[in-house]
Amino acid sequence: MRIKADTGVCVGSGQCVLTEPAVFDQGDDGIVVLLTDHPDDETAPRARAAVALCPSRALSIQ
């Protein structure tokens, strides 16, 4: 599983960070920052949930 973030689409809602802070963070501008693009077995389920919760659809799984 690989996570992709489209920072040009991100609106900075922070739902991803709240859902899985080991994978997602926000920069000073509020835009998503990936801490890893390959979540491990422990964080993968919550990372998938974060992708589904993203209101701007800036996150995807490849």
Side-chain angles (χ1 to χ4, degrees):
M1 172 169 135
R2 181 172 178 242
I3 303 283
K4 183 179 177 190
D6 184 344
T7 57
V9 174
C10 179
V11 296
S13 73
Q15 293 302 309
C16 56
V17 179
L18 293 172
T19 305
E20 185 46 76
V23 175
F24 305 99
D25 199 359
Q26 288 176 287
D28 292 337
D29 56 1
I31 301 302
V32 66
V33 174
L34 289 177
L35 300 177
T36 179
D37 63 350
H38 289 86
D40 60 25
D41 290 341
E42 182 180 332
T43 59
R46 290 183 303 276
R48 283 185 189 277
V51 170
L53 289 171
C54 181
S56 65
R57 302 290 180 228
L59 302 174
S60 61
I61 298 174
Q62 298 181 331

Short mmCIF file of all heavy atoms in Angstrom, two decimals:
data_model
loop_
_atom_site.label_atom_id
_atom_site.label_comp_id
_atom_site.label_asym_id
_atom_site.label_seq_id
_atom_site.Cartn_x
_atom_site.Cartn_y
_atom_site.Cartn_z
N MET A 1 0.84 -1.17 0.00
CA MET A 1 0.00 0.00 0.00
C MET A 1 0.89 1.24 0.00
O MET A 1 1.86 1.32 0.73
CB MET A 1 -0.87 -0.02 1.26
CG MET A 1 -1.66 1.23 1.49
SD MET A 1 -2.86 0.95 2.81
CE MET A 1 -2.65 2.42 3.72
N ARG A 2 0.52 2.19 -0.86
CA ARG A 2 1.25 3.46 -0.92
C ARG A 2 0.25 4.60 -0.88
O ARG A 2 -0.75 4.60 -1.61
CB ARG A 2 2.06 3.53 -2.21
CG ARG A 2 2.85 4.82 -2.32
CD ARG A 2 3.80 4.79 -3.51
NE ARG A 2 4.48 6.06 -3.57
CZ ARG A 2 4.38 6.90 -4.59
NH1 ARG A 2 3.66 6.59 -5.63
NH2 ARG A 2 5.03 8.04 -4.57
N ILE A 3 0.50 5.57 -0.02
CA ILE A 3 -0.35 6.75 0.12
C ILE A 3 0.23 7.87 -0.74
O ILE A 3 1.43 8.09 -0.77
CB ILE A 3 -0.41 7.23 1.58
CG1 ILE A 3 -0.88 6.14 2.51
CG2 ILE A 3 -1.25 8.49 1.71
CD1 ILE A 3 -2.33 5.87 2.50
N LYS A 4 -0.67 8.57 -1.44
CA LYS A 4 -0.26 9.74 -2.22
C LYS A 4 -1.07 10.93 -1.72
O LYS A 4 -2.26 10.81 -1.44
CB LYS A 4 -0.51 9.51 -3.70
CG LYS A 4 -0.04 10.65 -4.56
CD LYS A 4 -0.28 10.38 -6.02
CE LYS A 4 0.15 11.61 -6.81
NZ LYS A 4 -0.27 11.53 -8.19
N ALA A 5 -0.41 12.08 -1.59
CA ALA A 5 -1.08 13.31 -1.17
C ALA A 5 -0.93 14.37 -2.24
O ALA A 5 0.18 14.65 -2.68
CB ALA A 5 -0.49 13.80 0.15
N ASP A 6 -2.04 14.95 -2.64
CA ASP A 6 -2.04 16.04 -3.61
C ASP A 6 -2.15 17.34 -2.81
O ASP A 6 -3.24 17.77 -2.43
CB ASP A 6 -3.22 15.89 -4.56
CG ASP A 6 -3.23 16.95 -5.66
OD1 ASP A 6 -2.52 17.98 -5.52
OD2 ASP A 6 -3.95 16.75 -6.65
N THR A 7 -1.01 17.96 -2.56
CA THR A 7 -0.98 19.16 -1.72
C THR A 7 -1.68 20.35 -2.38
O THR A 7 -2.08 21.28 -1.69
CB THR A 7 0.46 19.53 -1.35
OG1 THR A 7 1.22 19.72 -2.54
CG2 THR A 7 1.10 18.44 -0.50
N GLY A 8 -1.85 20.31 -3.68
CA GLY A 8 -2.55 21.37 -4.37
C GLY A 8 -4.06 21.33 -4.16
O GLY A 8 -4.75 22.31 -4.37
N VAL A 9 -4.56 20.18 -3.72
CA VAL A 9 -5.99 19.99 -3.49
C VAL A 9 -6.33 20.07 -2.01
O VAL A 9 -7.45 20.41 -1.63
CB VAL A 9 -6.43 18.62 -4.08
CG1 VAL A 9 -7.88 18.31 -3.75
CG2 VAL A 9 -6.22 18.60 -5.58
N CYS A 10 -5.37 19.79 -1.15
CA CYS A 10 -5.59 19.76 0.30
C CYS A 10 -6.12 21.12 0.79
O CYS A 10 -5.62 22.18 0.42
CB CYS A 10 -4.28 19.44 1.02
SG CYS A 10 -4.40 19.40 2.81
N VAL A 11 -7.15 21.05 1.67
CA VAL A 11 -7.73 22.27 2.25
C VAL A 11 -7.34 22.44 3.72
O VAL A 11 -7.77 23.39 4.36
CB VAL A 11 -9.27 22.30 2.09
CG1 VAL A 11 -9.66 22.37 0.64
CG2 VAL A 11 -9.92 21.13 2.81
N GLY A 12 -6.53 21.52 4.24
CA GLY A 12 -6.02 21.67 5.60
C GLY A 12 -7.02 21.38 6.70
O GLY A 12 -6.90 21.93 7.79
N SER A 13 -7.97 20.50 6.46
CA SER A 13 -8.97 20.19 7.49
C SER A 13 -8.38 19.43 8.66
O SER A 13 -8.90 19.49 9.77
CB SER A 13 -10.15 19.41 6.89
OG SER A 13 -9.77 18.08 6.62
N GLY A 14 -7.32 18.67 8.41
CA GLY A 14 -6.64 17.96 9.49
C GLY A 14 -7.26 16.63 9.89
O GLY A 14 -6.82 16.00 10.85
N GLN A 15 -8.26 16.17 9.16
CA GLN A 15 -8.89 14.90 9.50
C GLN A 15 -7.90 13.74 9.42
O GLN A 15 -7.95 12.81 10.22
CB GLN A 15 -10.09 14.63 8.58
CG GLN A 15 -11.23 15.59 8.78
CD GLN A 15 -11.75 15.56 10.21
OE1 GLN A 15 -12.05 14.51 10.76
NE2 GLN A 15 -11.82 16.73 10.81
N CYS A 16 -6.98 13.80 8.49
CA CYS A 16 -5.99 12.75 8.34
C CYS A 16 -5.08 12.67 9.57
O CYS A 16 -4.79 11.59 10.08
CB CYS A 16 -5.17 12.94 7.07
SG CYS A 16 -4.36 14.55 6.93
N VAL A 17 -4.66 13.82 10.04
CA VAL A 17 -3.77 13.88 11.20
C VAL A 17 -4.48 13.35 12.45
O VAL A 17 -3.91 12.61 13.25
CB VAL A 17 -3.26 15.31 11.45
CG1 VAL A 17 -2.36 15.38 12.66
CG2 VAL A 17 -2.54 15.84 10.22
N LEU A 18 -5.73 13.72 12.60
CA LEU A 18 -6.51 13.25 13.74
C LEU A 18 -6.74 11.74 13.67
O LEU A 18 -6.80 11.07 14.70
CB LEU A 18 -7.86 13.97 13.80
CG LEU A 18 -7.80 15.46 14.11
CD1 LEU A 18 -9.17 16.09 13.96
CD2 LEU A 18 -7.26 15.69 15.52
N THR A 19 -6.86 11.20 12.47
CA THR A 19 -7.12 9.79 12.28
C THR A 19 -5.87 8.93 12.43
O THR A 19 -5.91 7.88 13.06
CB THR A 19 -7.77 9.54 10.90
OG1 THR A 19 -8.93 10.37 10.80
CG2 THR A 19 -8.15 8.10 10.71
N GLU A 20 -4.75 9.37 11.87
CA GLU A 20 -3.49 8.60 11.96
C GLU A 20 -2.29 9.52 11.98
O GLU A 20 -1.65 9.77 10.96
CB GLU A 20 -3.39 7.59 10.82
CG GLU A 20 -2.17 6.69 10.94
CD GLU A 20 -1.98 6.13 12.35
OE1 GLU A 20 -2.71 5.20 12.72
OE2 GLU A 20 -1.09 6.61 13.06
N PRO A 21 -1.93 10.04 13.17
CA PRO A 21 -0.81 10.97 13.28
C PRO A 21 0.56 10.35 13.04
O PRO A 21 1.53 11.08 12.87
CB PRO A 21 -0.93 11.51 14.70
CG PRO A 21 -1.73 10.49 15.44
CD PRO A 21 -2.64 9.86 14.43
N ALA A 22 0.65 9.03 12.97
CA ALA A 22 1.93 8.40 12.65
C ALA A 22 2.24 8.45 11.16
O ALA A 22 3.38 8.26 10.75
CB ALA A 22 1.94 6.94 13.14
N VAL A 23 1.22 8.73 10.35
CA VAL A 23 1.39 8.75 8.90
C VAL A 23 1.26 10.17 8.34
O VAL A 23 1.96 10.53 7.40
CB VAL A 23 0.36 7.82 8.22
CG1 VAL A 23 0.43 7.93 6.70
CG2 VAL A 23 0.57 6.38 8.66
N PHE A 24 0.38 10.98 8.94
CA PHE A 24 0.08 12.31 8.41
C PHE A 24 0.43 13.41 9.41
O PHE A 24 0.29 13.23 10.62
CB PHE A 24 -1.42 12.42 8.09
CG PHE A 24 -1.92 11.35 7.16
CD1 PHE A 24 -2.57 10.23 7.65
CD2 PHE A 24 -1.73 11.46 5.80
CE1 PHE A 24 -3.04 9.25 6.81
CE2 PHE A 24 -2.18 10.47 4.94
CZ PHE A 24 -2.84 9.36 5.45
N ASP A 25 0.84 14.54 8.89
CA ASP A 25 1.07 15.74 9.68
C ASP A 25 0.62 16.92 8.83
O ASP A 25 0.21 16.74 7.68
CB ASP A 25 2.55 15.87 10.05
CG ASP A 25 2.81 16.81 11.22
OD1 ASP A 25 1.84 17.40 11.75
OD2 ASP A 25 3.97 16.97 11.60
N GLN A 26 0.69 18.11 9.39
CA GLN A 26 0.37 19.32 8.65
C GLN A 26 1.53 20.29 8.76
O GLN A 26 2.13 20.43 9.82
CB GLN A 26 -0.89 19.98 9.21
CG GLN A 26 -2.16 19.23 8.90
CD GLN A 26 -3.36 19.86 9.54
OE1 GLN A 26 -3.52 19.76 10.75
NE2 GLN A 26 -4.19 20.51 8.75
N GLY A 27 1.80 20.97 7.65
CA GLY A 27 2.83 21.99 7.65
C GLY A 27 2.32 23.26 8.31
O GLY A 27 1.16 23.34 8.74
N ASP A 28 3.15 24.26 8.38
CA ASP A 28 2.77 25.55 8.98
C ASP A 28 1.57 26.18 8.27
O ASP A 28 0.82 26.94 8.88
CB ASP A 28 3.94 26.53 8.94
CG ASP A 28 5.07 26.10 9.87
OD1 ASP A 28 4.81 25.34 10.82
OD2 ASP A 28 6.22 26.53 9.63
N ASP A 29 1.37 25.83 7.01
CA ASP A 29 0.25 26.36 6.24
C ASP A 29 -1.01 25.49 6.36
O ASP A 29 -2.03 25.78 5.76
CB ASP A 29 0.63 26.51 4.77
CG ASP A 29 1.14 25.22 4.15
OD1 ASP A 29 1.19 24.17 4.84
OD2 ASP A 29 1.51 25.24 2.96
N GLY A 30 -0.92 24.40 7.13
CA GLY A 30 -2.06 23.51 7.33
C GLY A 30 -2.17 22.41 6.30
O GLY A 30 -3.01 21.53 6.42
N ILE A 31 -1.33 22.43 5.29
CA ILE A 31 -1.40 21.44 4.21
C ILE A 31 -0.76 20.13 4.66
O ILE A 31 0.24 20.11 5.38
CB ILE A 31 -0.71 21.99 2.94
CG1 ILE A 31 -1.37 23.29 2.48
CG2 ILE A 31 -0.71 20.96 1.82
CD1 ILE A 31 -2.86 23.19 2.19
N VAL A 32 -1.35 19.03 4.20
CA VAL A 32 -0.90 17.70 4.60
C VAL A 32 0.57 17.47 4.27
O VAL A 32 1.08 17.91 3.24
CB VAL A 32 -1.79 16.61 3.95
CG1 VAL A 32 -1.63 16.59 2.44
CG2 VAL A 32 -1.50 15.24 4.55
N VAL A 33 1.23 16.77 5.18
CA VAL A 33 2.60 16.31 5.01
C VAL A 33 2.60 14.82 5.32
O VAL A 33 2.10 14.41 6.37
CB VAL A 33 3.57 17.03 5.97
CG1 VAL A 33 4.97 16.45 5.88
CG2 VAL A 33 3.57 18.52 5.71
N LEU A 34 3.11 14.01 4.41
CA LEU A 34 3.21 12.58 4.66
C LEU A 34 4.47 12.29 5.46
O LEU A 34 5.56 12.69 5.06
CB LEU A 34 3.27 11.79 3.35
CG LEU A 34 2.00 11.73 2.54
CD1 LEU A 34 2.26 10.98 1.23
CD2 LEU A 34 0.88 11.06 3.30
N LEU A 35 4.31 11.62 6.59
CA LEU A 35 5.47 11.21 7.38
C LEU A 35 6.05 9.92 6.81
O LEU A 35 7.23 9.64 6.98
CB LEU A 35 5.07 11.03 8.84
CG LEU A 35 4.51 12.29 9.51
CD1 LEU A 35 4.07 11.98 10.93
CD2 LEU A 35 5.54 13.41 9.49
N THR A 36 5.20 9.14 6.17
CA THR A 36 5.60 7.95 5.42
C THR A 36 4.56 7.72 4.35
O THR A 36 3.39 8.01 4.56
CB THR A 36 5.72 6.70 6.32
OG1 THR A 36 6.10 5.58 5.50
CG2 THR A 36 4.43 6.38 7.03
N ASP A 37 4.97 7.24 3.20
CA ASP A 37 3.98 6.93 2.17
C ASP A 37 3.69 5.44 2.09
O ASP A 37 2.87 5.00 1.30
CB ASP A 37 4.39 7.50 0.81
CG ASP A 37 5.67 6.91 0.26
OD1 ASP A 37 6.36 6.19 1.00
OD2 ASP A 37 5.98 7.18 -0.91
N HIS A 38 4.36 4.65 2.95
CA HIS A 38 4.14 3.21 3.04
C HIS A 38 3.82 2.84 4.49
O HIS A 38 4.73 2.44 5.24
CB HIS A 38 5.37 2.43 2.56
CG HIS A 38 5.59 2.51 1.09
ND1 HIS A 38 6.28 3.53 0.49
CD2 HIS A 38 5.20 1.69 0.10
CE1 HIS A 38 6.31 3.33 -0.81
NE2 HIS A 38 5.65 2.22 -1.08
N PRO A 39 2.56 2.98 4.92
CA PRO A 39 2.20 2.65 6.30
C PRO A 39 2.48 1.18 6.61
O PRO A 39 2.33 0.31 5.73
CB PRO A 39 0.70 2.92 6.37
CG PRO A 39 0.38 3.74 5.17
CD PRO A 39 1.42 3.45 4.15
N ASP A 40 2.86 0.92 7.85
CA ASP A 40 3.09 -0.47 8.26
C ASP A 40 1.76 -1.14 8.57
O ASP A 40 0.70 -0.53 8.50
CB ASP A 40 4.07 -0.53 9.45
CG ASP A 40 3.57 0.21 10.67
OD1 ASP A 40 2.34 0.38 10.84
OD2 ASP A 40 4.42 0.61 11.50
N ASP A 41 1.81 -2.40 8.94
CA ASP A 41 0.59 -3.17 9.20
C ASP A 41 -0.25 -2.57 10.33
O ASP A 41 -1.48 -2.66 10.30
CB ASP A 41 0.94 -4.62 9.54
CG ASP A 41 1.47 -5.39 8.34
OD1 ASP A 41 1.24 -4.95 7.20
OD2 ASP A 41 2.11 -6.43 8.55
N GLU A 42 0.39 -1.95 11.29
CA GLU A 42 -0.33 -1.37 12.42
C GLU A 42 -1.07 -0.09 12.04
O GLU A 42 -2.20 0.14 12.48
CB GLU A 42 0.64 -1.08 13.56
CG GLU A 42 -0.03 -0.52 14.80
CD GLU A 42 0.97 -0.25 15.91
OE1 GLU A 42 2.02 -0.91 15.98
OE2 GLU A 42 0.67 0.64 16.72
N THR A 43 -0.46 0.75 11.23
CA THR A 43 -1.06 2.04 10.90
C THR A 43 -1.89 2.01 9.61
O THR A 43 -2.66 2.94 9.36
CB THR A 43 0.01 3.13 10.77
OG1 THR A 43 0.95 2.76 9.76
CG2 THR A 43 0.73 3.36 12.09
N ALA A 44 -1.77 0.97 8.81
CA ALA A 44 -2.46 0.90 7.53
C ALA A 44 -3.99 1.03 7.63
O ALA A 44 -4.58 1.78 6.85
CB ALA A 44 -2.09 -0.37 6.78
N PRO A 45 -4.66 0.36 8.56
CA PRO A 45 -6.12 0.50 8.63
C PRO A 45 -6.57 1.94 8.91
O PRO A 45 -7.52 2.43 8.28
CB PRO A 45 -6.53 -0.44 9.76
CG PRO A 45 -5.43 -1.45 9.84
CD PRO A 45 -4.19 -0.69 9.49
N ARG A 46 -5.90 2.62 9.80
CA ARG A 46 -6.26 4.01 10.11
C ARG A 46 -5.86 4.95 8.97
O ARG A 46 -6.54 5.95 8.72
CB ARG A 46 -5.66 4.43 11.44
CG ARG A 46 -6.33 3.72 12.63
CD ARG A 46 -5.80 4.20 13.96
NE ARG A 46 -4.36 4.04 14.11
CZ ARG A 46 -3.74 2.93 14.50
NH1 ARG A 46 -4.44 1.86 14.81
NH2 ARG A 46 -2.43 2.89 14.60
N ALA A 47 -4.78 4.63 8.27
CA ALA A 47 -4.39 5.43 7.11
C ALA A 47 -5.45 5.31 6.01
O ALA A 47 -5.80 6.30 5.38
CB ALA A 47 -3.02 5.00 6.58
N ARG A 48 -5.98 4.11 5.80
CA ARG A 48 -7.06 3.91 4.83
C ARG A 48 -8.29 4.72 5.24
O ARG A 48 -8.95 5.34 4.40
CB ARG A 48 -7.45 2.44 4.74
CG ARG A 48 -6.49 1.61 3.96
CD ARG A 48 -7.03 0.18 3.83
NE ARG A 48 -6.04 -0.69 3.25
CZ ARG A 48 -5.81 -0.81 1.96
NH1 ARG A 48 -6.50 -0.10 1.09
NH2 ARG A 48 -4.88 -1.63 1.51
N ALA A 49 -8.59 4.71 6.52
CA ALA A 49 -9.74 5.49 7.02
C ALA A 49 -9.52 6.98 6.78
O ALA A 49 -10.45 7.70 6.39
CB ALA A 49 -9.96 5.20 8.50
N ALA A 50 -8.30 7.45 6.98
CA ALA A 50 -7.99 8.86 6.77
C ALA A 50 -8.18 9.25 5.31
O ALA A 50 -8.70 10.33 5.01
CB ALA A 50 -6.55 9.16 7.21
N VAL A 51 -7.78 8.37 4.40
CA VAL A 51 -7.98 8.63 2.97
C VAL A 51 -9.47 8.77 2.68
O VAL A 51 -9.90 9.68 1.97
CB VAL A 51 -7.33 7.52 2.12
CG1 VAL A 51 -7.74 7.64 0.65
CG2 VAL A 51 -5.82 7.56 2.26
N ALA A 52 -10.27 7.88 3.25
CA ALA A 52 -11.71 7.91 3.02
C ALA A 52 -12.36 9.16 3.63
O ALA A 52 -13.35 9.67 3.09
CB ALA A 52 -12.36 6.66 3.59
N LEU A 53 -11.82 9.67 4.72
CA LEU A 53 -12.39 10.82 5.41
C LEU A 53 -11.98 12.17 4.82
O LEU A 53 -12.59 13.19 5.14
CB LEU A 53 -11.97 10.81 6.89
CG LEU A 53 -12.61 9.74 7.76
CD1 LEU A 53 -11.93 9.71 9.13
CD2 LEU A 53 -14.09 10.00 7.91
N CYS A 54 -10.98 12.19 3.98
CA CYS A 54 -10.46 13.46 3.45
C CYS A 54 -11.55 14.20 2.68
O CYS A 54 -12.02 13.72 1.65
CB CYS A 54 -9.27 13.19 2.55
SG CYS A 54 -8.56 14.70 1.87
N PRO A 55 -11.95 15.38 3.17
CA PRO A 55 -13.06 16.09 2.51
C PRO A 55 -12.72 16.65 1.13
O PRO A 55 -13.62 16.82 0.30
CB PRO A 55 -13.37 17.23 3.49
CG PRO A 55 -12.13 17.45 4.25
CD PRO A 55 -11.46 16.10 4.35
N SER A 56 -11.45 16.88 0.86
CA SER A 56 -11.07 17.42 -0.45
C SER A 56 -10.57 16.35 -1.41
O SER A 56 -10.23 16.64 -2.55
CB SER A 56 -9.99 18.49 -0.29
OG SER A 56 -8.81 17.91 0.22
N ARG A 57 -10.52 15.11 -0.92
CA ARG A 57 -10.01 13.98 -1.73
C ARG A 57 -8.57 14.21 -2.17
O ARG A 57 -8.16 13.80 -3.26
CB ARG A 57 -10.90 13.68 -2.93
CG ARG A 57 -12.32 13.38 -2.56
CD ARG A 57 -12.38 12.04 -1.87
NE ARG A 57 -13.75 11.72 -1.49
CZ ARG A 57 -14.09 11.29 -0.29
NH1 ARG A 57 -13.19 11.15 0.64
NH2 ARG A 57 -15.33 11.00 -0.01
N ALA A 58 -7.79 14.83 -1.31
CA ALA A 58 -6.38 15.08 -1.60
C ALA A 58 -5.53 13.84 -1.38
O ALA A 58 -4.40 13.78 -1.84
CB ALA A 58 -5.86 16.20 -0.73
N LEU A 59 -6.08 12.85 -0.69
CA LEU A 59 -5.34 11.63 -0.39
C LEU A 59 -5.86 10.47 -1.24
O LEU A 59 -7.06 10.37 -1.50
CB LEU A 59 -5.49 11.26 1.08
CG LEU A 59 -5.04 12.33 2.06
CD1 LEU A 59 -5.39 11.90 3.49
CD2 LEU A 59 -3.55 12.58 1.94
N SER A 60 -4.93 9.61 -1.63
CA SER A 60 -5.31 8.42 -2.39
C SER A 60 -4.38 7.28 -2.03
O SER A 60 -3.30 7.48 -1.49
CB SER A 60 -5.28 8.70 -3.89
OG SER A 60 -3.99 9.05 -4.31
N ILE A 61 -4.86 6.07 -2.33
CA ILE A 61 -4.06 4.86 -2.13
C ILE A 61 -3.73 4.28 -3.48
O ILE A 61 -4.60 4.14 -4.34
CB ILE A 61 -4.84 3.84 -1.28
CG1 ILE A 61 -5.13 4.41 0.10
CG2 ILE A 61 -4.06 2.53 -1.19
CD1 ILE A 61 -6.01 3.54 0.95
N GLN A 62 -2.46 3.96 -3.66
CA GLN A 62 -2.02 3.37 -4.93
C GLN A 62 -1.40 2.03 -4.68
O GLN A 62 -0.88 1.76 -3.65
CB GLN A 62 -1.03 4.29 -5.62
CG GLN A 62 -1.65 5.61 -5.96
CD GLN A 62 -0.67 6.52 -6.68
OE1 GLN A 62 0.53 6.45 -6.49
NE2 GLN A 62 -1.20 7.40 -7.49
#
